[in-house]
Amino acid sequence: MDMRFTRRAVNAALGASIAMPWVARAAFAQNPILLGVPTAQTAPVGTADHLDHLRGTQLAMEEINSSGGILGRELKLFTPDVNPIIPESIKQAFAACVDAKVNAISCAFVFIPIVAMDTTAKYKCPYLNGTAQREQTEKIKENPEKYSHVFQVDASDLDYGWTYPLMLEEQEKSGLWTPKNRKIHIVQEQSGYARSITRGIVDQVKKRGNFEIAQITDIQIPVQDWNPVVHELRQVDAGAIFINHWVAAELAAFTKQFVANPVKNSLVHLHYGPSQPEYLTLVGEAGNGFIWDSTIGHLQDERGLAFEKKYRERFPGPFPGAVYPGHGYDVAYLLKRAWEAAGDPENFAATAAAIRQNPTRGVCGTINVNNPWQEALHYPANGFDDELAAPSAEEGIPLLHIQIQDLEHKIVYPKEVASAQLQLPPWWS
């Protein structure tokens, strides 16, 4: 990614204005509500997702302001640069939000969530994120007073693992996929995040008994050469393959090496990374047939497609991502409703209470964080953390499994929100 392009996009968001006479606008902007949006602008990872999140937030901000703002006040953005994998950078970015006296913080994710939580713990403005780590929400549950202001508006890493075998079972049950064997081969990077996902898969497979873990192959990142991995995949020859690694460029390298010498008739899942626009830019048609997943993303229903249309018009060019544009958009509107319910954006406790007490349907589903983890209820139920499972797809945030079909991202699971049926990949006979 061109970092200068990312900086320009951030500057464009900061400079966004609404159409109204100068005098009226001056009065409108006199006492703005300030939303902090820590955004990766120069970091080696995360810039694509963070830019998506910022643009979704910007779109919501422009709509809100053009409709009169919030409680008669303009919504403005404050966007400090952050490296989401460096603790000191996270601390500095969130401290900058506190120093700027923002009314709330919306962030795509950081990989060391406790740093962000602790940096904002005394200030206590609402902090909403899509970090997707159970480590974060367990800390909230353990210390609800200290972290009463922190909300995770998607499911956690473990849920990727728990949901994966459910997706496989559903595709087999539908008759669209007949596995050549019951084996699952997991390739995992060496991070706590990836190990949590693997643990979820292993636990769910043991519980349900419909598949078996044939092999877990560890990789060290960055991966320079995937050929040894592809060779091991061919030796194990599992019916289902899960590549537990999320960096788009490296998954693109895997894709090219895999399709050149594929494991025939295996269903291949690439964790999350293909959601980033860089992936399809690098692989083109070689990406067709691969499946990826996300704990949040705009749905491909009437509401979600209307949002996508508005987003494409506002930010011309290839749609940049299927995950964080909707996430940023939904969080901004969730905060708008909470501020209006509280009646005072400076009353952080009342705003946090309004967030908890008022589930909000957005383009990604229904955000309901009224639980001890302050983590969005998700769908489908998986039998492990039923307290966090929504009773239906409409009442929670669906954890999406998406297949690339004709260079388009199509939801294939859960079936309640699917926009297409599973297609057999090109490497199937």
Side-chain angles (χ1 to χ4, degrees), residues 90-134:
I90 296 169
K91 183 177 180 179
Q92 289 174 356
F94 281 77
C97 288
V98 173
D99 291 342
K101 294 182 169 52
V102 301
N103 296 94
I105 298 172
S106 173
C107 184
F109 58 81
V110 293
F111 282 94
I112 304 94
I114 309 305
V115 175
M117 296 164 67
D118 285 345
T119 303
T120 57
K122 290 184 179 179
Y123 185 60
K124 282 259 184 317
C125 74
Y127 163 40
L128 295 86
N129 64 81
T131 293
Q133 287 194 30
R134 187 57 52 79

Side-chain angles (χ1 to χ4, degrees), residues 185-189 198 215-219 226 229 233 241-245:
H185 189 165
I186 302 169
V187 177
Q188 70 167 1
E189 66 178 60
T198 295
Q215 182 81 5
I216 298 176
T217 299
D218 292 330
I219 56 174
W226 287 95
V229 173
L233 292 175
I241 294 169
F242 190 100
I243 308 299
N244 190 0
H245 181 48

Side-chain angles (χ1 to χ4, degrees), residues 157-225:
D157 39 19
L158 283 167
D159 297 288
Y160 281 119
W162 287 334
T163 307
Y164 175 64
L166 300 182
M167 186 275 296
L168 294 180
E169 292 175 15
E170 178 61 35
Q171 300 307 329
E172 182 179 17
K173 181 180 177 182
S174 71
L176 297 169
W177 175 53
T178 301
K180 62 184 179 183
N181 56 50
R182 314 305 299 178
K183 297 190 294 185
I184 296 175
H185 189 165
I186 302 169
V187 177
Q188 70 167 1
E189 66 178 60
Q190 298 305 290
S191 69
Y193 171 79
R195 285 191 289 270
S196 290
I197 295 171
T198 295
R199 186 167 71 251
I201 297 175
V202 172
D203 289 349
Q204 186 75 296
V205 166
K206 287 181 179 177
K207 178 184 177 183
R208 301 185 70 83
N210 294 321
F211 291 91
E212 62 174 296
I213 304 299
Q215 182 81 5
I216 298 176
T217 299
D218 292 330
I219 56 174
Q220 297 293 333
I221 55 174
V223 184
Q224 305 296 335
D225 181 13

Side-chain angles (χ1 to χ4, degrees), residues 51-106:
L51 176 59
D52 285 347
H53 174 264
L54 174 64
R55 284 177 164 173
T57 307
Q58 180 187 350
L59 178 61
M61 176 194 72
E62 293 170 353
E63 291 178 354
I64 289 168
N65 287 341
S66 66
S67 299
I70 301 166
L71 300 171
R73 297 166 62 181
E74 181 182 19
L75 179 63
K76 294 186 71 174
L77 306 183
F78 174 69
T79 58
D81 191 10
V82 64
N83 186 327
I85 62 174
I86 302 298
E88 187 59 32
S89 177
I90 296 169
K91 183 177 180 179
Q92 289 174 356
F94 281 77
C97 288
V98 173
D99 291 342
K101 294 182 169 52
V102 301
N103 296 94
I105 298 172
S106 173

Side-chain angles (χ1 to χ4, degrees), residues 276-306:
Q276 300 162 36
E278 184 180 11
Y279 176 80
L280 280 181
T281 300
L282 290 171
V283 303
E285 292 187 0
N288 286 328
F290 288 93
I291 300 172
W292 59 274
D293 53 8
S294 177
T295 54
I296 197 167
H298 75 276
L299 304 180
Q300 293 167 1
D301 57 7
E302 183 177 355
R303 187 192 303 249
L305 293 176

Side-chain angles (χ1 to χ4, degrees), residues 221-275:
I221 55 174
V223 184
Q224 305 296 335
D225 181 13
W226 287 95
N227 280 311
V229 173
V230 174
H231 177 72
E232 189 168 337
L233 292 175
R234 288 173 59 82
Q235 286 187 316
V236 176
D237 194 31
I241 294 169
F242 190 100
I243 308 299
N244 190 0
H245 181 48
W246 70 278
V247 178
E250 294 185 23
L251 287 178
F254 168 82
T255 297
K256 292 177 180 179
Q257 292 177 36
F258 179 87
V259 298
N261 194 17
V263 184
K264 292 188 180 299
N265 300 331
S266 293
L267 199 63
V268 184
H269 192 106
L270 307 178
H271 171 58
Y272 184 76
S275 70

